[in-house]
Amino acid sequence: MLLAFSGSGERCSRPGSRKAFCGLSKRLLAGSRLLLLPLLLLALGLGCSSKSADTTSPGTPPSITEPPSSAATVTGRQVTFSVTATGAPTLRYQWAKDDVDILGALTSTLTLFSPEPSDSGQYTVTITNPDGKIKSSAATLTVTPALQFTSAVSLVADAAGNLFVSDREDHCIWKVSPAKVVTLLAGGKGIPGSVDGPGSDARFQNPGGLALDPSGNLLVADTGNHTIRRVAPDGTVTTLAGAAGLPGATNAVGALARFNAPFGIAVLSSGSVYGGAYIADALNHTIRFLATDGTVSTYAGSAGQPGSTDATGSSARFNQPNGLALSASGTLYVADYGNSCLRAIASSGQVSTLAGLAGTTGYGDGTGSAARFNLPVGVTLDASGNLWVADTFNHAVRRITTAGVVTVIAGSGTSGNADGTGTSALFYQPCGITLGPAGNLVVADTRNRLLRLLTPAGVTTTL
């Protein structure tokens, strides 16, 4: 219509056009403009009315429906605070400790991944949006000091209740008194090497298994150095067999003998008389024996030939044997790591499979071959002859009775860090286990960097 009236306007400008026609055209054009104006205003009004409703509608100030709760933890055990709140538009959070804002703590949860005792205090969260602000009640965090190690892989206790701990990644041996005082017995913290000498002057390379002889000397499988070391009660270190940095499988005396990543170690003794030591020579897939005169021989298995054969002496086969435990009757128990099973070597030298199925990993209780393990590392015996197993990659502690019945005592099969009873307790790749003087077990919870105390009934606490 506008185009038509535009054309009529052009015609009116021509000479000789009729005045009546031109007047009508002008009136119609003016009328159409009057008609379009209310329609345009109506359209604009509808559009603006919607926008006006958004800008004038009230927001909702923040309101806390579930405040953060107080918590207690131990050194290194993760803890999380959380808050639940309502409000619109979008809420903003700021956590504070003892009324001091925590940098970057800007969400509805606050996680302390490796808390220290200094992190104990009062935690609050302030929540804001354009319509208001609210501060939560305080949640109290209590962090109890716990013994921590970089990578504890083995431990042993003496009759007085002292614990000795080998720290693989710190390359040293620690002593923990019954009063939980930790001292460096031998080695330089964080300094690898192979040096004999007193206390902190000595050096180790990724030390593994530990055992005590009747005189209180500590025998160490110095895994990374391929040697066997002895630590006297005063901390003086001596190399008994093997040569640092020279892996091999040679049977010989003292420094002429060769090992390949030895790990487990068990002392043979009769009363107060030291009779030598059995060694799980992991990467040679053999069990070796170190006599009192320093002579090294192969007790079971064949160097360089992994397998799972039950047989006698060199006809038997192992796959990266790790932890060892020797019974009073002379039976040597082996955590056959690479086979995910537990083996037994009778005093006659006959090797048998006690529990688990060689080459088959899993997490199941049962008797003998019906049970399943996942790369077990540490073993120890209790006074009743039960074998306790640090089932490392099942993150659990298992018990094997003298009849071969396997039961989960603590741990759930998944990694974690929690105290509790039975499967409510959580471990993270436990490697070492030993029997304490009171009949409880002490576990080196390796990846959690903690020592855990475990009762025979399955109650786990952090040492």
Side-chain angles (χ1 to χ4, degrees):
M1 185 165 78
L2 291 175
L3 289 175
F5 282 121
S6 174
S8 299
E10 290 175 1
R11 288 173 58 189
C12 289
S13 64
R14 295 173 188 168
S17 59
R18 289 179 295 179
K19 293 181 180 181
F21 179 81
C22 290
L24 177 62
S25 296
K26 290 177 181 178
R27 288 194 301 272
L28 288 174
L29 181 58
S32 67
R33 288 172 179 166
L34 291 174
L35 179 62
L36 285 173
L37 182 61
L39 292 174
L40 180 60
L41 291 175
L42 179 61
L44 290 172
L46 288 174
C48 292
S49 65
S50 173
K51 183 175 181 181
S52 175
D54 282 347
T55 56
T56 59
S57 63
T60 305
S63 176
I64 294 175
T65 57
E66 187 174 345
S69 300
S70 296
T73 188
V74 298
T75 305
R77 180 174 295 160
Q78 177 178 312
V79 65
T80 298
F81 292 109
S82 64
V83 65
T84 303
T86 59
T90 303
L91 301 176
R92 296 185 178 182
Y93 302 85
Q94 175 62 66
W95 289 88
K97 175 183 178 285
D98 299 330
D99 291 326
V100 177
D101 287 350
I102 302 171
L103 182 65
L106 304 175
T107 66
S108 61
T109 61
L110 171 67
T111 298
L112 304 180
F113 290 96
S114 188
E116 299 289 339
S118 60
D119 292 314
S120 298
Q122 303 292 310
Y123 286 78
T124 56
V125 58
T126 300
I127 307 171
T128 60
N129 73 2
D131 292 283
K133 176 180 180 180
I134 190 170
K135 180 180 178 180
S136 74
S137 56
T140 301
L141 175 64
T142 303
V143 183
T144 302
L147 302 183
Q148 283 193 294
F149 301 89
T150 302
S151 183
V153 294
S154 183
L155 70 172
V156 65
D158 66 15
N162 296 296
L163 282 170
F164 301 91
V165 181
S166 65
D167 196 325
R168 178 180 57 198
E169 293 181 12
D170 263 347
H171 313 289
C172 58
I173 310 299
W174 300 94
K175 180 180 179 179
V176 183
S177 74
K180 312 302 183 293
V181 176
V182 180
T183 56
L184 182 65
L185 178 64
K189 177 176 168 56
I191 306 173
S194 180
V195 178
D196 288 346
S200 59
D201 291 339
R203 296 290 180 265
F204 296 87
Q205 176 85 25
N206 304 122
L210 302 176
L212 281 166
D213 73 12
S215 299
N217 296 301
L218 189 67
L219 272 65
V220 183
D222 195 1
T223 308
N225 279 323
H226 314 290
T227 56
I228 306 302
R229 318 284 291 279
R230 180 180 63 206
V231 184
D234 66 357
T236 301
V237 178
T238 306
T239 299
L240 299 180
L246 297 175
T250 304
N251 287 324
V253 178
L256 297 178
R258 296 290 179 267
F259 300 89
N260 194 353
F263 187 86
I265 191 164
V267 164
L268 175 65
S269 62
S270 176
S272 62
V273 179
Y274 170 65
Y278 294 97
I279 298 142
D281 197 3
L283 293 186
N284 276 328
H285 313 291
T286 55
I287 307 300
R288 315 286 290 281
F289 184 73
L290 172 62
T292 56
D293 65 356
T295 301
V296 176
S297 59
T298 300
Y299 181 60
S302 182
Q305 298 186 40
S308 60
T309 304
D310 286 340
T312 301
S314 61
S315 297
R317 295 290 180 269
F318 301 87
N319 191 349
Q320 296 183 41
N322 271 225
L324 298 178
L326 183 64
S327 73
S329 66
T331 298
L332 184 66
Y333 295 95
V334 183
D336 198 359
Y337 175 87
N339 280 322
S340 291
C341 63
L342 280 301
R343 315 288 290 281
I345 308 176
S347 56
S348 63
Q350 174 65 43
V351 178
S352 61
T353 300
L354 176 66
L357 186 64
T360 304
T361 60
Y363 184 57
D365 290 343
T367 301
S369 61
R372 295 290 180 269
F373 299 86
N374 193 355
L375 304 175
V377 171
V379 289
T380 194
L381 287 160
D382 66 19
S384 300
N386 297 302
L387 186 68
W388 294 78
V389 183
D391 193 1
T392 304
F393 283 85
N394 274 328
H395 315 288
V397 176
R398 320 282 291 278
R399 182 183 62 204
I400 307 175
T401 67
T402 54
V405 178
V406 179
T407 308
V408 174
I409 302 301
S412 67
T414 58
S415 63
N417 186 348
D419 291 340
T421 300
T423 56
S424 66
L426 298 177
F427 299 84
Y428 193 3
Q429 292 181 17
C431 287
I433 186 168
T434 194
L435 185 69
N440 294 318
L441 288 304
V442 185
V443 181
D445 192 2
T446 306
R447 289 294 296 276
N448 278 326
R449 304 188 298 141
L450 298 171
L451 299 185
R452 315 287 291 280
L453 192 67
L454 172 65
T455 70
V459 179
T460 302
T461 54
T462 297
L463 197 65

